[in-house]
CSV table of all heavy atoms in Angstrom, one decimal:
chain,number,residue,atom,x,y,z
A,169,ASP,N,62.4,-11.7,-21.9
A,169,ASP,CA,62.5,-10.3,-21.9
A,169,ASP,C,61.2,-9.6,-21.6
A,169,ASP,O,60.8,-8.6,-22.3
A,169,ASP,CB,63.1,-9.8,-23.3
A,169,ASP,CG,64.5,-10.1,-23.5
A,169,ASP,OD1,65.2,-10.3,-22.4
A,169,ASP,OD2,65.0,-10.2,-24.6
A,170,GLY,N,60.4,-10.2,-20.7
A,170,GLY,CA,59.2,-9.6,-20.3
A,170,GLY,C,58.0,-10.1,-21.0
A,170,GLY,O,56.8,-9.8,-20.6
A,171,TRP,N,58.1,-10.8,-22.1
A,171,TRP,CA,57.0,-11.2,-23.0
A,171,TRP,C,56.7,-12.6,-22.6
A,171,TRP,O,57.5,-13.6,-22.9
A,171,TRP,CB,57.4,-11.0,-24.5
A,171,TRP,CG,57.6,-9.6,-24.9
A,171,TRP,CD1,58.8,-8.9,-24.7
A,171,TRP,CD2,56.7,-8.7,-25.5
A,171,TRP,NE1,58.6,-7.6,-25.2
A,171,TRP,CE2,57.3,-7.5,-25.7
A,171,TRP,CE3,55.4,-8.9,-25.9
A,171,TRP,CZ2,56.7,-6.4,-26.3
A,171,TRP,CZ3,54.8,-7.8,-26.5
A,171,TRP,CH2,55.4,-6.5,-26.7
A,172,GLU,N,55.5,-12.8,-22.1
A,172,GLU,CA,55.1,-14.2,-21.7
A,172,GLU,C,54.5,-14.9,-23.0
A,172,GLU,O,53.7,-14.3,-23.7
A,172,GLU,CB,54.0,-14.2,-20.7
A,172,GLU,CG,53.6,-15.6,-20.2
A,172,GLU,CD,52.5,-15.6,-19.1
A,172,GLU,OE1,52.1,-14.5,-18.7
A,172,GLU,OE2,52.1,-16.7,-18.7
A,173,MET,N,55.0,-16.1,-23.3
A,173,MET,CA,54.7,-16.8,-24.5
A,173,MET,C,53.9,-18.1,-24.1
A,173,MET,O,54.2,-18.7,-23.1
A,173,MET,CB,55.9,-17.2,-25.3
A,173,MET,CG,56.9,-16.1,-25.5
A,173,MET,SD,56.2,-14.7,-26.4
A,173,MET,CE,55.9,-15.5,-28.0
A,174,GLY,N,52.9,-18.4,-25.0
A,174,GLY,CA,52.2,-19.6,-24.8
A,174,GLY,C,51.2,-19.8,-26.0
A,174,GLY,O,50.1,-19.4,-25.9
A,175,GLY,N,51.7,-20.3,-27.1
A,175,GLY,CA,50.9,-20.3,-28.3
A,175,GLY,C,50.7,-18.9,-28.8
A,175,GLY,O,49.7,-18.6,-29.4
A,176,GLY,N,51.7,-18.1,-28.7
A,176,GLY,CA,51.7,-16.7,-29.0
A,176,GLY,C,52.0,-15.8,-27.8
A,176,GLY,O,52.4,-16.3,-26.8
A,177,VAL,N,51.8,-14.5,-27.9
A,177,VAL,CA,52.0,-13.6,-26.8
A,177,VAL,C,50.8,-13.7,-25.9
A,177,VAL,O,49.7,-13.3,-26.2
A,177,VAL,CB,52.2,-12.2,-27.2
A,177,VAL,CG1,52.5,-11.3,-26.0
A,177,VAL,CG2,53.4,-12.1,-28.2
A,178,THR,N,51.0,-14.3,-24.7
A,178,THR,CA,49.8,-14.6,-23.8
A,178,THR,C,49.0,-13.4,-23.5
A,178,THR,O,47.7,-13.5,-23.5
A,178,THR,CB,50.3,-15.2,-22.5
A,178,THR,OG1,51.2,-16.3,-22.8
A,178,THR,CG2,49.2,-15.7,-21.6
A,179,ARG,N,49.6,-12.3,-23.2
A,179,ARG,CA,48.8,-11.1,-22.8
A,179,ARG,C,48.0,-10.4,-23.9
A,179,ARG,O,47.3,-9.5,-23.7
A,179,ARG,CB,49.7,-10.1,-22.1
A,179,ARG,CG,50.2,-10.5,-20.7
A,179,ARG,CD,50.9,-9.4,-20.0
A,179,ARG,NE,51.0,-9.7,-18.6
A,179,ARG,CZ,51.4,-8.8,-17.7
A,179,ARG,NH1,51.8,-7.6,-18.1
A,179,ARG,NH2,51.4,-9.1,-16.4
A,180,LEU,N,48.2,-10.9,-25.2
A,180,LEU,CA,47.4,-10.4,-26.3
A,180,LEU,C,46.1,-11.1,-26.4
A,180,LEU,O,45.3,-10.7,-27.2
A,180,LEU,CB,48.2,-10.5,-27.6
A,180,LEU,CG,49.3,-9.4,-27.8
A,180,LEU,CD1,50.0,-9.7,-29.1
A,180,LEU,CD2,48.7,-8.0,-27.9
A,181,GLY,N,46.0,-12.2,-25.7
A,181,GLY,CA,44.7,-13.0,-25.8
A,181,GLY,C,43.6,-12.3,-25.0
A,181,GLY,O,43.6,-11.1,-24.7
A,182,THR,N,42.6,-13.1,-24.7
A,182,THR,CA,41.3,-12.6,-24.1
A,182,THR,C,41.6,-12.0,-22.8
A,182,THR,O,40.8,-11.1,-22.4
A,182,THR,CB,40.3,-13.7,-24.0
A,182,THR,OG1,40.9,-14.9,-23.3
A,182,THR,CG2,39.8,-14.2,-25.4
A,183,THR,N,42.6,-12.4,-22.0
A,183,THR,CA,42.8,-11.8,-20.7
A,183,THR,C,43.2,-10.4,-20.8
A,183,THR,O,43.2,-9.7,-19.7
A,183,THR,CB,43.9,-12.6,-20.0
A,183,THR,OG1,45.1,-12.6,-20.8
A,183,THR,CG2,43.5,-14.0,-19.7
A,184,GLY,N,43.6,-9.9,-21.9
A,184,GLY,CA,44.1,-8.5,-22.1
A,184,GLY,C,43.0,-7.5,-22.5
A,184,GLY,O,43.3,-6.3,-22.7
A,185,ILE,N,41.8,-8.0,-22.7
A,185,ILE,CA,40.7,-7.1,-23.3
A,185,ILE,C,40.5,-5.9,-22.4
A,185,ILE,O,40.4,-4.8,-22.9
A,185,ILE,CB,39.4,-7.9,-23.5
A,185,ILE,CG1,39.7,-8.9,-24.7
A,185,ILE,CG2,38.3,-7.0,-23.9
A,185,ILE,CD1,38.5,-9.8,-25.0
A,186,PHE,N,40.3,-6.1,-21.1
A,186,PHE,CA,40.0,-5.0,-20.2
A,186,PHE,C,41.1,-4.0,-20.1
A,186,PHE,O,40.9,-2.8,-20.0
A,186,PHE,CB,39.6,-5.5,-18.8
A,186,PHE,CG,38.1,-6.0,-18.8
A,186,PHE,CD1,37.9,-7.3,-18.5
A,186,PHE,CD2,37.1,-5.1,-19.0
A,186,PHE,CE1,36.5,-7.8,-18.4
A,186,PHE,CE2,35.8,-5.6,-19.0
A,186,PHE,CZ,35.5,-6.9,-18.7
A,187,THR,N,42.4,-4.6,-20.1
A,187,THR,CA,43.5,-3.7,-20.1
A,187,THR,C,43.6,-2.9,-21.3
A,187,THR,O,43.9,-1.7,-21.3
A,187,THR,CB,44.8,-4.5,-19.9
A,187,THR,OG1,44.8,-5.3,-18.7
A,187,THR,CG2,46.0,-3.6,-19.9
A,188,ALA,N,43.3,-3.5,-22.5
A,188,ALA,CA,43.3,-2.8,-23.7
A,188,ALA,C,42.2,-1.6,-23.7
A,188,ALA,O,42.5,-0.5,-24.2
A,188,ALA,CB,42.9,-3.8,-24.9
A,189,ILE,N,41.1,-1.9,-23.2
A,189,ILE,CA,40.0,-0.9,-23.1
A,189,ILE,C,40.5,0.3,-22.2
A,189,ILE,O,40.3,1.5,-22.6
A,189,ILE,CB,38.7,-1.5,-22.6
A,189,ILE,CG1,38.1,-2.4,-23.7
A,189,ILE,CG2,37.7,-0.4,-22.3
A,189,ILE,CD1,36.9,-3.2,-23.2
A,190,ILE,N,41.0,0.0,-21.1
A,190,ILE,CA,41.4,1.0,-20.1
A,190,ILE,C,42.5,1.9,-20.7
A,190,ILE,O,42.5,3.1,-20.7
A,190,ILE,CB,41.9,0.4,-18.8
A,190,ILE,CG1,40.8,-0.3,-18.0
A,190,ILE,CG2,42.7,1.4,-17.9
A,190,ILE,CD1,41.2,-1.1,-16.9
A,191,MET,N,43.5,1.3,-21.4
A,191,MET,CA,44.6,2.1,-21.9
A,191,MET,C,44.1,2.9,-23.1
A,191,MET,O,44.6,4.0,-23.4
A,191,MET,CB,45.8,1.1,-22.3
A,191,MET,CG,46.4,0.4,-21.2
A,191,MET,SD,46.7,1.4,-19.7
A,191,MET,CE,47.9,2.6,-20.3
A,192,SER,N,43.2,2.3,-23.9
A,192,SER,CA,42.6,3.1,-25.0
A,192,SER,C,41.8,4.3,-24.5
A,192,SER,O,41.9,5.4,-25.1
A,192,SER,CB,41.7,2.2,-25.8
A,192,SER,OG,42.3,1.1,-26.4
A,193,ILE,N,41.1,4.2,-23.4
A,193,ILE,CA,40.4,5.3,-22.8
A,193,ILE,C,41.4,6.4,-22.5
A,193,ILE,O,41.2,7.6,-22.8
A,193,ILE,CB,39.6,4.9,-21.6
A,193,ILE,CG1,38.4,3.9,-22.0
A,193,ILE,CG2,39.0,6.1,-20.9
A,193,ILE,CD1,37.7,3.3,-20.9
A,194,ILE,N,42.4,6.0,-21.8
A,194,ILE,CA,43.5,7.0,-21.3
A,194,ILE,C,44.1,7.7,-22.6
A,194,ILE,O,44.2,8.9,-22.6
A,194,ILE,CB,44.5,6.3,-20.5
A,194,ILE,CG1,44.0,5.8,-19.2
A,194,ILE,CG2,45.7,7.3,-20.3
A,194,ILE,CD1,44.9,5.0,-18.4
A,195,ALA,N,44.4,6.9,-23.6
A,195,ALA,CA,45.1,7.5,-24.8
A,195,ALA,C,44.2,8.4,-25.5
A,195,ALA,O,44.6,9.5,-25.9
A,195,ALA,CB,45.5,6.3,-25.7
A,196,VAL,N,42.9,8.0,-25.7
A,196,VAL,CA,42.0,8.9,-26.5
A,196,VAL,C,41.7,10.1,-25.7
A,196,VAL,O,41.5,11.2,-26.3
A,196,VAL,CB,40.7,8.1,-26.9
A,196,VAL,CG1,39.7,9.0,-27.5
A,196,VAL,CG2,41.1,6.9,-27.8
A,197,LYS,N,41.5,10.0,-24.4
A,197,LYS,CA,41.2,11.2,-23.6
A,197,LYS,C,42.3,12.2,-23.7
A,197,LYS,O,42.1,13.4,-23.8
A,197,LYS,CB,40.9,10.8,-22.2
A,197,LYS,CG,39.5,10.2,-21.9
A,197,LYS,CD,38.5,11.3,-22.1
A,197,LYS,CE,37.1,10.8,-21.7
A,197,LYS,NZ,36.1,11.9,-22.1
A,198,ILE,N,43.6,11.7,-23.6
A,198,ILE,CA,44.7,12.7,-23.7
A,198,ILE,C,44.8,13.3,-25.1
A,198,ILE,O,45.0,14.5,-25.2
A,198,ILE,CB,46.0,11.9,-23.4
A,198,ILE,CG1,46.0,11.5,-21.9
A,198,ILE,CG2,47.2,12.8,-23.7
A,198,ILE,CD1,47.2,10.6,-21.5
A,199,TYR,N,44.6,12.5,-26.1
A,199,TYR,CA,44.6,13.0,-27.5
A,199,TYR,C,43.5,14.1,-27.7
A,199,TYR,O,43.8,15.2,-28.2
A,199,TYR,CB,44.3,11.8,-28.4
A,199,TYR,CG,44.2,12.1,-29.9
A,199,TYR,CD1,44.9,13.2,-30.4
A,199,TYR,CD2,43.5,11.3,-30.7
A,199,TYR,CE1,44.9,13.4,-31.8
A,199,TYR,CE2,43.4,11.6,-32.1
A,199,TYR,CZ,44.1,12.6,-32.6
A,199,TYR,OH,44.0,12.9,-34.0
A,200,ALA,N,42.3,13.8,-27.2
A,200,ALA,CA,41.2,14.8,-27.3
A,200,ALA,C,41.5,16.0,-26.5
A,200,ALA,O,41.2,17.2,-27.0
A,200,ALA,CB,39.9,14.1,-26.9
A,201,THR,N,42.0,15.9,-25.3
A,201,THR,CA,42.3,17.1,-24.5
A,201,THR,C,43.4,17.9,-25.2
A,201,THR,O,43.3,19.2,-25.2
A,201,THR,CB,42.8,16.6,-23.1
A,201,THR,OG1,41.8,15.8,-22.5
A,201,THR,CG2,43.1,17.8,-22.2
A,202,CYS,N,44.4,17.3,-25.7
A,202,CYS,CA,45.4,18.1,-26.4
A,202,CYS,C,44.9,18.9,-27.6
A,202,CYS,O,45.2,20.0,-27.8
A,202,CYS,CB,46.6,17.2,-26.9
A,202,CYS,SG,47.6,16.5,-25.6
A,203,VAL,N,44.0,18.2,-28.4
A,203,VAL,CA,43.4,18.9,-29.5
A,203,VAL,C,42.5,20.1,-29.1
A,203,VAL,O,42.5,21.2,-29.7
A,203,VAL,CB,42.7,17.9,-30.4
A,203,VAL,CG1,41.9,18.6,-31.6
A,203,VAL,CG2,43.7,16.9,-31.0
A,204,LYS,N,41.7,19.8,-28.1
A,204,LYS,CA,40.8,20.9,-27.6
A,204,LYS,C,41.5,22.1,-27.1
A,204,LYS,O,41.1,23.2,-27.2
A,204,LYS,CB,39.9,20.3,-26.5
A,204,LYS,CG,38.7,19.6,-27.0
A,204,LYS,CD,37.6,19.3,-25.9
A,204,LYS,CE,38.0,18.3,-25.0
A,204,LYS,NZ,36.9,17.9,-24.0
Side-chain angles (χ1 to χ4, degrees):
D169 289 338
W171 296 81
E172 184 180 1
M173 310 301 292
V177 180
T178 305
R179 286 188 162 190
L180 281 176
T182 52
T183 55
I185 291 176
F186 281 116
T187 299
I189 292 172
I190 290 170
M191 299 317 296
S192 297
I193 293 171
I194 293 172
V196 173
K197 280 294 186 185
I198 292 175
Y199 179 30
T201 300
C202 288
V203 173
K204 277 195 287 188

